[in-house]
Amino acid sequence: MVTVFHLLFRTAALIMYELSEFITNGFIGSFITIVILLSMDFWTVKNITGRLMVGLRWWNYIDDEGQSHWVFEAHKGRVSQTEVRVFWVALVVFPVIWSILFLIAIGFFKFRWAMVVLIALSLTGSNLYGYVRCKFGKSESISQSFKNMASGLVQKQMISNVANMFTRTPPTTAPSSTV
């Protein structure tokens, strides 16, 4: 049931965006419906499906001095690998789709619809950003997390190469001499 709701609102918003010219004649009604569906998706993914499907949670609060603080949590628990895949695929694919739709809207000079797509991108992108931060590093930046992963892979490869140098058997054939 959680997986259904993870996909329901975002899919409904995308379908409404694509079919709005056929369903209704007014932009305002379509705009409101799409934004409500996107808001429901944002809230559902942020507060329910992320916690239940992958054990991740994030939020932002503003302290008394006006400073913004991001909080990222990752809980170890029993999660279905199928649900994890569905969660991450949907979390990544929908912002990509909205990005393509943005380029199409700009290309055809449909600036009203580009505004709707920007709202979709900001909401789906916020969830993607929050969950990537939860997954790859709570306190460090995403770029730093990727650098750490890359340096860890390079270190592993270097250690493997050095170990192979010492464990590899020398060639058994003698080099040919040319006279």
Side-chain angles (χ1 to χ4, degrees):
M1 191 61 138
V2 174
T3 306
V4 169
F5 279 99
H6 181 67
L7 298 171
L8 178 71
F9 297 123
R10 60 185 52 215
T11 304
L14 189 61
I15 290 170
M16 181 64 186
Y17 175 81
E18 288 296 322
L19 300 178
S20 62
E21 291 182 8
F22 302 111
I23 295 174
T24 178
N25 292 337
F27 172 76
I28 301 296
S30 296
F31 176 85
I32 291 170
T33 304
I34 294 167
V35 170
I36 288 172
L37 288 168
L38 289 167
S39 299
M40 291 167 64
D41 171 61
F42 176 81
W43 185 87
T44 302
V45 172
K46 181 184 171 303
N47 294 313
I48 298 171
T49 63
R51 184 172 44 88
L52 296 177
M53 291 175 75
V54 292
L56 300 173
R57 190 168 73 157
W58 66 272
W59 69 90
N60 183 328
Y61 71 93
I62 308 233
D63 64 13
D64 293 336
E65 287 91 35
Q67 297 294 321
S68 178
H69 299 277
W70 287 81
V71 179
F72 305 100
E73 291 182 353
H75 297 286
K76 300 291 184 203
R78 201 169 34 108
V79 293
S80 163
Q81 289 305 311
T82 303
E83 286 184 346
V84 169
R85 274 189 229 102
V86 168
F87 179 84
W88 285 106
V89 166
L91 203 65
V92 171
V93 165
F94 277 87
V96 170
I97 292 170
W98 286 112
S99 297
I100 293 167
L101 291 173
F102 177 73
L103 294 174
I104 292 170
I106 294 295
F108 286 104
F109 302 107
K110 294 184 176 186
F111 298 115
R112 303 185 302 182
W113 292 104
M115 181 177 56
V116 174
V117 176
L118 283 175
I119 293 169
L121 277 171
S122 67
L123 291 172
T124 58
S126 296
N127 265 333
L128 178 61
Y129 174 77
Y131 284 112
V132 167
R133 287 284 304 263
C134 286
K135 181 73 175 166
F136 291 115
K138 297 176 205 161
S139 60
E140 49 190 31
S141 71
I142 292 173
S143 61
Q144 187 62 40
S145 295
F146 284 125
K147 286 178 186 174
N148 290 345
M149 280 187 348
S151 68
L153 291 173
V154 168
Q155 287 174 353
K156 263 188 195 177
Q157 187 61 40
M158 287 175 56
I159 290 171
S160 173
N161 288 345
V162 169
N164 286 339
M165 282 179 17
F166 292 112
T167 60
R168 171 174 41 190
T169 58
T172 57
T173 59
S176 62
S177 63
T178 57
V179 181

